[in-house]
Amino acid sequence: MALKSVVRRLAVALLLMVALDWTGHLGWDYLRSLFGTLEGGGGAQWQFAFILAPIPITPGALAVLISKFPRLSLPKLFVVVSWVAAIVPAMLCILVLGLHAYVV
């Protein structure tokens, strides 16, 4: 395996770890709001976290660019997980900030 391929895989893996960690936190907050298990009786403060949704979207999108668009793309698993890491936080942000699709 060429050094460039190893560096690309490592870069994508690190970007995905950051993106998926933030996405997990956003998703967990969203699910807790749907099931009414937010601390302190809910409130609108948890929605502020979704203003920070570009934080997981950016590394997810960078992972897509690194894994898909150079001459030889990485294995499909990297590409699929990269797309998920970019799209899921964007969809959660749209649900919360755009559509107000949650229960408090």
Side-chain angles (χ1 to χ4, degrees), residues 26 42 45 82 85:
L26 292 175
Q45 296 173 351
S82 297

Side-chain angles (χ1 to χ4, degrees), residues 25-103:
H25 289 294
L26 292 175
W28 182 247
D29 285 346
Y30 185 72
L31 288 175
R32 288 186 335 179
S33 76
L34 287 179
F35 294 111
T37 59
L38 288 171
E39 305 88 37
Q45 296 173 351
W46 67 273
Q47 299 166 32
F48 180 74
F50 287 87
I51 293 173
L52 303 175
I55 292 174
I57 294 169
T58 302
L62 284 173
V64 169
L65 291 174
I66 293 172
S67 63
K68 181 65 179 162
F69 293 111
R71 203 176 263 169
L72 295 173
S73 64
L74 292 177
K76 289 188 190 257
L77 178 65
F78 282 100
V79 177
V80 169
V81 174
S82 297
W83 278 110
V84 168
I87 292 173
V88 169
M91 295 303 296
L92 285 171
C93 185
I94 289 169
L95 283 172
V96 172
L97 298 177
L99 302 176
H100 303 289
Y102 53 85
V103 177

